[in-house]
Amino acid sequence: MQKRILFVVRSKLGDTLINYALIRQYVDLNPDDIVFFLVKKDYASIIKNEIGIKIIPFSSKGMMYLKLFFLRLKEPKFDILAILFSSGKPNKYIGLLTNAKRKIIWDKKDAPHIFEEGINQYFDHHSSPGISVINKFDSKFTPSHILSIPSLINARNEKKHFAIGIVPLSLELRRNMDDLSLKILIDALKKKYPKTILRVFINPKDKGAKAILENKYINEIEIIKIEKLEDVVLRFYELIAWFGVDTGLYHLAVSCGIPSTVFFGPTQPINIVMKKQPNVRAYRLEGLENFHCNEKECRKPTCLHLNISLFSKIKRLKINFSELPELCPLRKITKKNIQVIKNFHNI
């Protein structure tokens, strides 16, 4: 029986792409359903060429509410409102504005009288909430555990690949390369790809960007200052491979089908990298295993910087334990495990 579904994602780039992959798979398995997707405007531009889904972009909460109001006036009643990833009070208003027979969200604490709750509250990956919501109305849905966006892959396949992409910064200092660890990685990649353009993507507004941009060695490579996400996508199409930290641009890279290497410091590879994602290497110090570091105030992620230096095999960083934050897990693991990195992709 044909269903009318409104999917909603209100989150950062990585979570948006992860949940879009679930929607993409659902649509491919249920081509007769009429599917709408409410998503932030910047991220909507990435998937604008996808087929079988009606994209509804919004640029602000006010615009989102207005779009939902127009849907209520102009469109027939939805069978299902499925909020795959979102938090806070806006969930309540999304539920109130949407004309739907069933309204489902992973955690209904923001509006318990409006929503049904996802079928499984166990979180082991950033895709877990979205899967639990879809399983509430489609118990047979089994995720592929692969992040892939067909329109992006097809567009990249039509381009020449001639550059290596490096993304050193994220939204948190504790997940960022510093200027030294970035230089170590660049030196290693120069040896591995001696005749290839090295292209570093940096948002000048990110913390840590100034120190990198002011360093003299940065003049030896191509710098892409991130402004519009659409422009980044076009540059990604030209990449042979991608190297970087735990950031939404990693998810964009694998969505495009780019072989990727991602370096982890405090965060857990098992929660970020899809279980069956092809062409990905995810490195972390072995002694950290899949432990999540709760030291939110860390400003110098020694675990990440050492990880990169071990990977590069060019310059070995020394650890000054007295400089580590009090709660840093490196204080608790053996010296042997600090010295080893492990590919966590298949865990």
Side-chain angles (χ1 to χ4, degrees), residues 323-338:
E323 293 182 352
L324 296 177
E326 187 175 345
L327 298 178
C328 178
L330 288 184
R331 290 179 176 269
K332 300 178 181 180
I333 66 178
T334 66
K335 187 175 181 181
K336 178 182 177 181
N337 284 340
I338 289 178

Side-chain angles (χ1 to χ4, degrees), residues 50 75 90 134 149 170 177 255 267 286 296 317 324 338:
E50 291 285 284
E75 290 289 336
I134 295 175
I149 298 181
S170 71
M177 298 183 201
S255 294
T267 54
E286 185 173 36
K296 302 292 186 181
L317 296 180
L324 296 177
I338 289 178

Side-chain angles (χ1 to χ4, degrees), residues 68-305:
L68 288 170
F69 179 69
F70 281 125
L71 281 177
R72 188 180 187 94
L73 292 179
K74 295 183 178 182
E75 290 289 336
K77 190 172 188 176
F78 288 102
D79 293 291
I80 297 163
L81 163 64
I83 301 183
L84 300 187
F85 209 98
S86 179
S87 61
K89 289 184 179 180
N91 291 336
K92 175 181 178 180
Y93 300 115
I94 293 171
L96 290 171
L97 282 167
T98 303
N99 188 16
K101 298 175 184 177
R102 298 181 67 185
K103 301 175 183 182
I104 309 170
I105 193 169
W106 185 56
D107 185 348
K108 63 179 185 177
K109 64 181 180 181
D110 296 315
H113 62 292
I114 296 175
F115 291 103
E116 301 174 49
E117 201 161 64
I119 202 166
N120 183 0
Q121 293 298 292
Y122 180 68
F123 187 101
D124 64 353
H125 190 273
H126 280 268
S127 61
S128 298
I131 294 168
S132 77
V133 170
I134 295 175
N135 280 155
K136 187 73 173 184
F137 64 88
D138 184 352
S139 60
K140 295 181 180 180
F141 177 81
T142 303
S144 65
H145 297 296
I146 295 174
L147 178 49
S148 175
I149 298 181
S151 62
L152 300 185
I153 292 173
N154 293 337
R156 178 174 177 265
N157 288 340
E158 295 175 357
K159 301 289 184 179
K160 291 183 178 179
H161 309 147
F162 56 84
I164 301 298
I166 306 172
V167 177
L169 304 178
S170 71
L171 295 176
E172 289 185 285
L173 279 173
R174 71 194 197 114
R175 287 188 282 155
N176 287 357
M177 298 183 201
D178 61 7
D179 53 338
L180 177 57
S181 58
L182 175 57
K183 186 180 187 305
I184 289 172
L185 179 60
I186 287 172
D187 289 343
L189 295 179
K190 280 182 177 179
K191 287 190 174 183
K192 186 173 183 179
Y193 304 95
K195 297 181 180 180
T196 306
I197 294 172
L198 296 186
R199 179 178 283 175
V200 177
F201 294 81
I202 291 183
N203 183 342
K205 296 179 182 179
D206 282 344
K207 295 178 180 178
K210 184 178 179 181
I212 290 174
L213 292 172
E214 289 179 349
N215 204 302
K216 292 182 179 179
Y217 74 84
I218 211 72
N219 297 324
E220 303 171 12
I221 56 181
E222 184 179 351
I223 297 295
I224 305 297
K225 293 184 179 180
I226 298 173
E227 294 178 357
K228 293 182 179 180
L229 197 54
E230 284 183 278
D231 295 336
V232 174
V233 173
L234 294 176
R235 298 283 191 165
F236 269 26
Y237 289 158
E238 299 167 340
L239 297 184
I240 298 168
W242 185 98
F243 294 80
V245 296
D246 173 13
T247 171
L249 292 180
Y250 155 72
H251 297 286
L252 179 59
V254 295
S255 294
C256 295
I258 303 169
S260 300
T261 298
V262 55
F263 301 102
F264 286 87
T267 54
Q268 303 155 288
I270 199 169
N271 282 350
I272 306 299
V273 178
M274 293 283 196
K275 296 176 184 177
K276 298 180 181 179
Q277 191 74 45
N279 299 318
V280 170
R281 294 182 299 173
Y283 288 111
R284 197 184 194 202
L285 295 180
E286 185 173 36
L288 295 178
E289 298 179 344
N290 275 304
F291 175 78
H292 179 73
C293 174
N294 290 312
E295 183 54 84
K296 302 292 186 181
E297 299 304 314
C298 179
R299 295 294 180 266
K300 186 179 180 181
T302 300
C303 55
L304 173 66
H305 300 161

